[in-house]
Amino acid sequence: MWKKCLIACCALLLLLAAMVAWLLFGNGIQKTANYFLAPDFQIQLNQPLRIDRQAITLPEIQLTSLKHGCQLTETTPIRFIWQQRRLFSEQVRLDYSCLQQMIAQEATTTEQPPFTLTRLFALLPLGEVEIADIEWQNSQAEHNPQLQRLLAASTRLKAVRQDDQLRLQLSVSEYQDGQAYALANADGILVDKTLTALLVYQPDEQQHHQVTLTADLADSVEQLPLSADLDYHWRSPEVIIPQGGITLNWKQQQAQLQLYEVVDQEQHQLLALPFDIKNGRLHISKARFNWAKQLPQPLNGFLDLDLQPTAQNRAFWNSFPLNINFRLSLLTSGDKGKGQVVIQGLDGKIDRQSLDIPLQVNGEVKSFDSIFYTNLPMRLEGDLYRPLLRFLSGSLLRMTGNTEYIDIEELRLPLAGVVVGQYGVKGRLQAILKGKTRQFEQIELHLDGRANEFIAGIHSIFNIRSAQEVIQLSETSATNRWNWNFWGNAKIPSLKSAVNLRGRGFWQDSLLNIQLLDGDLQRFTLPGVQVGALQLSLSQNLLWDYQQQQISGALSVKTPHIRLDYGGQILQPDISVTLDGKDFSDLNLKSELKADRLGPIRLFSSYQDGMLRGNIYWPQQSSDVFQPLFPKRWNWLIQRGTIRGQTAFSITPQNGLVAGGHIAIQNGSISLPNGAISGINFSLPYRYQDQHFQLGVKQPVEIKIAQLDNGVRLNDVSLQLQGYYPYSRQYPLSLTKLHLRLLGGELNVDKFSLPQHNPAYLRLNGIELAEILQLMQYNQLEMRGKVNAKLPFWIENSDCIICDGVIEQGNDWRIHLSDELIRKIEQGGGITERILTNLMETMDVYDSNIKVNLLTDGTGLMNAKIKANNALQNPIFLNYNHKENAFDLWDSINFGSELQQQLEYRLYQKQNQENQNQ
């Protein structure tokens, strides 16, 4: 019998030895662990166990999630020291992406029995666990830079269980140049059911975060602590509150949470939130907040909230669905008094994966000189983690008030049907604006379009779909885009005109694209100018990317004519403008003006810091392009010549328009009905500032005219011009060195200034008397000789045009009466007239004293004393006074010349028209 028992014991021992060998040195541990492991997980051991006198060493272990198809954990060999009860591993590698998938799936799993501290201490043996380095893999998808930095650092973990005490220590370090720098430290001790913890995070010298916690825990981890005190304070220049803190005091189901900011070592309360939790229900009553940062004015308000589970005897933090009711009151104040907006949510439902909360927003927001009126029925619905805010029928936001640029009579934003989600705004977006500015009145502008996941550039709130997601969407419209049409009109009081605009475009991401813009401005009048109806249109899309700081586009402005009051006109002016730059405050402009055959006149300019600077270039072209500037009633006809010019200019708020440049005319010729001007040559440098033209900036302008024929033929005209226009005493206009040839002699004027305070002396030299008589068409008298004169000339500030002028002899004169005149005198006169005729038939004048005056009404006065010898060499002394209207005399003597020149002009005009028709 005993032999049978011995054999049985030996067999049992052999079986146990085989089982131990299979477990320790085969794959028995792996199969056994996988058998008892939770479903969908699998452990893999690459090598068998190693046992020595001091410890047991587990090989590298890999834990895989079969459900998610990813390897969650991989460890280096784990060593368990017997006597110290210490478990140690050099490195544990965790897959961050795999862990995130498990956490997301865990939120949807069915509820499990609550875990308790008693069960925790029962499961954890006495001893110590230490991991020298925890390495996170596949964390590139994490967008939080602080968390990404922690995941990339080296983490050391140590956990110790002694009696009824459990301690967990965690340290995160970064290595630079082979030296470790502490990034974060956490130390928590759980004694019985009392937890004390300290967390310090210091990413750099300027930032510091610290959390301290003391709490008496309930046995179940799903129950709230019996009491707790939490203190979190930070110092971080990058956040909106550079230095501040949060405190939480919890006792007997009542708590007080406070948020404060530290300024100059003093605490300023921003939020005081009292709340209580009873019977699993959260109740907040009269929570008060006060916020002024990054807002045009402080925002104060109160919050009341009630959150409770639908099921009885359950708690809000671990039971769904939940019922929510709240009321948020926002208090504002502005120049027009105080305002209040109430946001109310009634009978809302929050489930584990979704929510449905009806919202109503009503009230007024008063900010500075503006008032916002809200009537917004809304609904917060959809996925709990990706909710949608849907504006219901009747949603309307209105605004009135004054801003720096516009007085808003009313701004209406109908929002019914608009949906706001994590990817932006979707639906029909509209705006109607009525108001006025300094330049415009009765403004009415409409904007209407459709948005599709439009975020308006607010990346801090909304997300952007990836390119792959956009491709997978079945929608044909582009995402993050708002397509719109606009139209409107306004009055322009300064022009007594009205403007109309219409167009379309879109806003996508950071790009605004105006694809169509048509506008018309009714005809208007300026001093001396009448402008026909203007038409504005885009010749190239107007693009503005405010993130890339780039703007481009082109437009054109056309009008049938610009008429000048004196009768001239500019026909069919067409202005094209091309622009590019960073934004509307930093632009480069290229413009080109054409008007019938006039131009092109090119403009290159830049607009920066409220200042416009540029250059205008006028390439050389024929002068006859100016023909429309001469009224038809003048009957002036440009025959030949060329013109060119260049101008540099700037427009600033301080100095207005400042310009400078030159205009040059070469070999110009104009045919007049009663004369002609030919051989016009000048280069006119000028400067414009303070509504004054300065002509001849550095030196006088020299003007030359080969011939001017207007009854009196003037040749080789030259003069110098310098000064200002309009002229004044402070800014005079001066004409100097005038020289011309006429009537066989010449005329010189040294200086002639406007306004005139001194006479301009007209100096005549060598004027032929015979040419004067020929000009006057006087054939009854023959005179030979030359005349010199000095004539003080006035055009303003005097009662006379020529005052006390003196005519002198240039040489001896001979005066001879015609036979016809002698015959008429002898036939109609007596003996005395015959004697005088015989004596004065021929005279040689050797001395004379002649004075002339010309009054402003045209009356000419001449007083002459003449000494002469007749043909018999008898002396003759003659006193002669004459009075005649010089203006009438000029008209009479100019009639014949005018008739001849009119005929020539008609021939030139006919020839010019034939050339244009060809």
Side-chain angles (χ1 to χ4, degrees):
M1 184 67 183
W2 63 270
K3 292 182 178 180
K4 293 182 178 180
C5 290
L6 181 62
I7 293 172
C9 290
C10 291
L12 182 60
L13 289 174
L14 290 173
L15 179 62
L16 289 174
M19 291 179 63
V20 170
W22 178 72
L23 287 173
L24 295 180
F25 304 105
N27 59 354
I29 290 183
Q30 176 177 312
K31 291 184 177 181
T32 304
N34 286 329
Y35 179 81
F36 290 101
L37 199 63
D40 302 324
F41 287 93
Q42 185 181 67
I43 284 180
Q44 181 178 349
L45 302 178
N46 294 331
Q47 296 178 2
L49 298 177
R50 298 195 302 273
I51 301 177
D52 55 35
R53 294 179 180 179
Q54 297 180 349
I56 182 173
T57 303
L58 297 174
E60 296 179 357
I61 300 176
Q62 296 175 352
L63 177 62
T64 303
S65 172
L66 301 177
K67 182 175 182 178
H68 299 96
C70 58
Q71 181 177 290
L72 177 63
T73 307
E74 183 180 5
T75 71
T76 58
I78 301 174
R79 184 172 178 82
F80 177 68
I81 303 174
W82 309 100
Q83 295 180 352
Q84 300 177 4
R85 294 194 174 188
R86 181 170 179 262
L87 196 67
F88 177 80
S89 177
E90 280 290 340
Q91 188 180 63
V92 173
R93 290 182 287 273
L94 295 175
D95 191 305
Y96 183 77
S97 176
C98 187
L99 183 62
Q100 289 292 98
Q101 295 180 49
M102 291 177 56
I103 293 175
Q105 192 266 339
E106 179 67 20
T108 63
T109 58
T110 58
E111 297 184 1
Q112 300 293 331
F115 194 77
T116 64
L117 295 180
T118 303
R119 185 181 177 190
L120 175 65
F121 278 96
L123 291 175
L124 292 178
L126 299 177
E128 176 182 336
V129 176
E130 184 176 1
I131 301 175
D133 181 23
I134 299 177
E135 179 183 337
W136 295 95
Q137 297 177 336
N138 297 326
S139 61
Q140 298 84 355
E142 177 57 52
H143 298 294
N144 188 308
Q146 286 80 17
L147 182 56
Q148 180 67 258
R149 184 177 178 184
L150 289 171
L151 295 175
S154 176
T155 303
R156 188 179 188 92
L157 175 80
K158 183 177 182 181
V160 179
R161 163 77 193 282
Q162 293 179 348
D163 298 328
D164 59 350
Q165 175 180 302
L166 177 62
R167 183 172 186 176
L168 179 67
Q169 294 175 297
L170 194 71
S171 63
V172 183
S173 303
E174 287 183 326
Y175 288 87
Q176 296 180 4
D177 300 328
Q179 186 175 357
Y181 295 91
L183 186 62
N185 289 286
D187 189 358
I189 300 176
L190 179 62
V191 180
D192 195 7
K193 295 179 181 179
T194 300
L195 173 66
T196 58
L198 173 65
L199 172 64
V200 178
Y201 173 59
Q202 188 168 0
D204 54 51
E205 295 181 356
Q206 296 182 344
Q207 296 189 63
H208 181 81
H209 303 260
Q210 181 172 311
V211 179
T212 59
L213 172 66
T214 301
D216 292 330
L217 305 179
D219 187 53
S220 174
V221 296
E222 294 188 358
Q223 293 180 352
L224 294 174
L226 303 178
S227 64
D229 290 296
L230 181 143
D231 185 10
Y232 166 42
H233 60 268
W234 69 86
R235 183 183 70 252
S236 179
E238 298 178 355
V239 298
I240 191 170
I241 302 177
Q243 187 173 357
I246 296 175
T247 62
L248 173 64
N249 303 111
W250 168 263
K251 191 173 184 180
Q252 296 179 353
Q253 298 183 334
Q254 292 185 346
Q256 178 78 20
L257 186 145
Q258 294 184 350
L259 169 66
Y260 61 89
E261 181 179 14
V262 179
V263 179
D264 297 330
Q265 298 182 349
E266 293 186 2
Q267 293 185 5
H268 299 269
Q269 189 179 81
L270 303 178
L271 172 66
L273 194 151
F275 65 94
D276 62 72
I277 301 175
K278 295 180 180 179
N279 300 322
R281 172 181 176 182
L282 171 65
H283 180 69
I284 299 174
S285 178
K286 299 298 181 183
R288 184 179 181 88
F289 57 89
N290 181 8
W291 188 264
K293 285 183 172 293
Q294 296 186 353
L295 293 176
Q297 62 176 353
L299 186 64
N300 304 312
F302 300 91
L303 172 66
D304 294 282
L305 182 141
D306 188 79
L307 184 65
Q308 61 181 343
T310 303
Q312 297 293 328
N313 301 321
R314 300 301 301 271
F316 74 89
W317 60 86
N318 63 0
S319 177
F320 291 95
L322 300 175
N323 295 329
I324 182 171
N325 293 275
F326 70 89
R327 177 186 174 92
L328 176 63
S329 299
L330 303 177
L331 307 178
T332 61
S333 62
D335 297 339
K336 296 186 178 181
K338 296 183 178 180
Q340 180 179 8
V341 173
V342 176
I343 305 174
Q344 193 167 11
L346 297 175
D347 300 326
K349 302 291 183 183
I350 301 178
D351 210 335
R352 188 180 297 274
Q353 293 297 321
S354 62
L355 77 168
D356 184 4
I357 305 175
L359 298 176
Q360 181 68 43
V361 182
N362 292 97
E364 300 176 354
V365 177
K366 295 184 178 180
S367 175
F368 297 103
D369 199 23
S370 301
I371 304 177
F372 296 85
Y373 303 91
T374 61
N375 179 21
L376 302 172
M378 302 179 291
R379 201 172 196 92
L380 188 63
E381 60 186 18
D383 190 282
L384 181 63
Y385 302 100
R386 292 179 293 274
L388 298 176
L389 181 62
R390 187 182 304 275
F391 291 87
L392 305 179
S393 176
S395 293
L396 177 64
L397 178 64
R398 295 191 303 120
M399 174 194 170
T400 63
N402 302 325
T403 69
E404 182 180 357
Y405 304 103
I406 184 171
D407 296 338
I408 300 175
E409 178 183 337
E410 184 181 45
L411 174 61
R412 298 170 61 89
L413 300 172
L415 296 173
V418 174
V419 178
V420 182
Q422 70 164 341
Y423 293 112
V425 180
K426 191 171 183 179
R428 183 182 180 185
L429 287 182
Q430 307 173 71
I432 302 110
L433 171 66
K434 295 182 180 180
K436 65 178 181 179
T437 67
R438 296 172 184 172
Q439 298 82 16
F440 300 94
E441 290 184 354
Q442 301 180 28
I443 298 173
E444 184 171 345
L445 180 63
H446 296 254
L447 192 66
D448 192 355
R450 181 161 294 276
N452 185 35
E453 297 186 351
F454 176 62
I455 71 169
I458 308 176
H459 293 268
S460 59
I461 298 178
F462 300 108
N463 297 327
I464 298 293
R465 292 188 185 273
S466 65
Q468 187 65 28
E469 288 179 312
V470 173
I471 294 174
Q472 292 175 354
L473 288 176
S474 60
E475 300 181 22
T476 57
S477 58
T479 59
N480 189 15
R481 177 161 167 158
W482 178 22
N483 297 300
W484 30 256
N485 297 316
F486 63 89
W487 65 95
N489 54 76
K491 303 288 186 183
I492 307 178
S494 60
L495 301 180
K496 296 181 180 180
S497 181
V499 61
N500 295 278
L501 286 176
R502 55 203 167 273
R504 71 169 183 268
F506 66 85
W507 182 355
Q508 185 170 16
D509 198 12
S510 61
L511 175 66
L512 277 82
N513 186 333
I514 298 180
Q515 300 166 296
L516 176 66
L517 175 62
D518 288 324
D520 54 81
L521 177 64
Q522 297 176 4
R523 61 182 182 179
F524 59 91
T525 301
L526 295 173
V529 180
Q530 297 178 15
V531 181
L534 291 176
Q535 293 182 345
L536 171 67
S537 62
L538 282 182
S539 51
Q540 181 180 323
N541 285 12
L542 183 59
L543 307 176
W544 178 29
D545 191 321
Y546 53 84
Q547 283 190 349
Q548 298 295 328
Q549 293 189 334
Q550 185 175 3
I551 189 171
S552 63
L555 52 88
S556 65
V557 180
K558 298 179 180 180
T559 182
H561 57 262
I562 298 177
R563 291 195 175 99
L564 309 175
D565 283 355
Y566 67 84
Q569 61 181 342
I570 301 175
L571 298 176
Q572 300 176 352
D574 183 352
I575 303 174
S576 61
V577 181
T578 302
L579 55 91
D580 69 87
K582 294 183 178 180
D583 52 39
F584 288 100
S585 63
D586 189 344
L587 284 175
N588 297 315
L589 302 172
K590 296 180 182 179
S591 304
E592 188 173 276
L593 168 63
K594 294 181 181 179
D596 195 18
R597 295 186 300 119
L598 176 65
I601 300 174
R602 296 184 175 90
L603 179 147
F604 302 90
S605 62
S606 63
Y607 179 74
Q608 292 177 334
D609 300 325
M611 295 180 287
L612 181 65
R613 294 185 175 91
N615 287 276
I616 300 174
Y617 297 95
W618 191 338
Q620 180 170 299
Q621 63 181 136
S622 175
S623 299
D624 62 1
V625 299
F626 277 111
Q627 186 61 54
L629 293 178
F630 294 156
K632 292 183 178 180
R633 66 174 183 272
W634 286 8
N635 289 330
W636 288 20
L637 188 64
I638 299 176
Q639 293 297 320
R640 64 181 64 86
T642 60
I643 185 170
R644 59 182 174 85
Q646 183 268 334
T647 296
F649 68 91
S650 67
I651 302 176
T652 64
Q654 298 81 11
N655 301 321
L657 173 61
V658 177
H662 73 274
I663 296 177
I665 293 181
Q666 293 181 340
N667 198 28
S669 177
I670 301 175
S671 176
L672 312 176
N674 54 355
I677 305 174
S678 61
I680 305 172
N681 291 277
F682 67 84
S683 179
L684 176 63
Y686 70 90
R687 179 177 176 85
Y688 179 84
Q689 188 174 10
D690 297 331
Q691 299 182 350
H692 282 80
F693 283 96
Q694 181 183 1
L695 309 177
V697 179
K698 295 183 178 179
Q699 59 185 13
V701 181
E702 187 170 0
I703 300 175
K704 293 184 178 181
I705 300 174
Q707 187 177 88
L708 191 156
D709 189 355
N710 192 21
V712 178
R713 179 167 296 180
L714 309 179
N715 297 313
D716 300 333
V717 180
S718 65
L719 60 96
Q720 292 184 352
L721 189 67
Q722 188 173 31
Y724 297 86
Y725 186 84
Y727 53 81
S728 62
R729 178 183 292 271
Q730 185 178 2
Y731 301 102
L733 178 63
S734 298
L735 182 151
T736 58
K737 297 183 180 179
L738 170 62
H739 172 79
L740 58 87
R741 293 189 300 107
L742 78 165
L743 302 175
E746 62 182 19
L747 168 66
N748 292 281
V749 178
D750 292 336
K751 186 175 183 180
F752 177 36
S753 296
L754 295 172
Q756 192 173 10
H757 303 287
N758 297 301
Y761 289 97
L762 310 183
R763 302 181 187 277
L764 296 168
N765 294 304
I767 302 299
E768 292 286 352
L769 289 173
E771 293 198 21
I772 295 177
L773 293 180
Q774 182 180 359
L775 173 67
M776 298 175 63
Q777 300 176 5
Y778 193 72
N779 300 321
Q780 296 175 337
L781 183 68
E782 181 182 347
M783 297 181 67
R784 295 180 181 176
K786 296 183 179 293
V787 171
N788 299 330
K790 182 180 181 181
L791 307 176
F793 179 71
W794 295 84
I795 63 170
E796 58 184 16
N797 300 327
S798 178
D799 295 333
C800 53
I801 298 175
I802 295 178
C803 304
D804 298 326
V806 177
I807 298 177
E808 300 175 345
Q809 289 182 246
N811 57 7
D812 291 341
W813 298 349
R814 168 161 287 193
I815 302 175
H816 178 72
L817 304 180
S818 67
D819 295 339
E820 181 181 358
L821 178 60
I822 293 174
R823 213 168 26 251
K824 288 182 179 180
I825 294 174
E826 290 179 348
Q827 291 176 357
I831 298 175
T832 303
E833 285 78 6
R834 294 191 191 98
I835 294 173
L836 290 173
T837 300
N838 292 329
L839 291 174
M840 298 174 57
E841 180 179 358
T842 300
M843 292 185 298
D844 293 322
V845 180
Y846 60 87
D847 188 18
S848 63
N849 184 1
I850 303 174
K851 295 182 178 180
V852 295
N853 287 275
L854 178 61
L855 305 184
T856 54
D857 61 358
T859 301
L861 303 173
M862 184 175 67
N863 187 340
K865 295 180 179 180
I866 297 175
K867 297 179 181 180
N869 294 321
N870 61 9
L872 301 176
Q873 296 299 313
N874 295 320
I876 297 176
F877 301 95
L878 181 62
N879 292 325
Y880 177 70
N881 294 312
H882 184 77
K883 179 180 180 181
E884 187 172 0
N885 190 291
F887 298 160
D888 294 339
L889 177 63
W890 177 259
D891 290 340
S892 64
I893 65 176
N894 195 42
F895 174 76
S897 176
E898 182 176 344
L899 179 61
Q900 176 186 355
Q901 291 162 353
Q902 279 277 11
L903 294 174
E904 293 178 355
Y905 171 79
R906 297 301 178 190
L907 293 175
Y908 284 134
Q909 192 178 47
K910 183 177 180 181
Q911 181 182 358
N912 185 59
Q913 292 176 351
E914 291 176 352
N915 292 335
Q916 290 181 354
N917 293 333
Q918 291 177 355

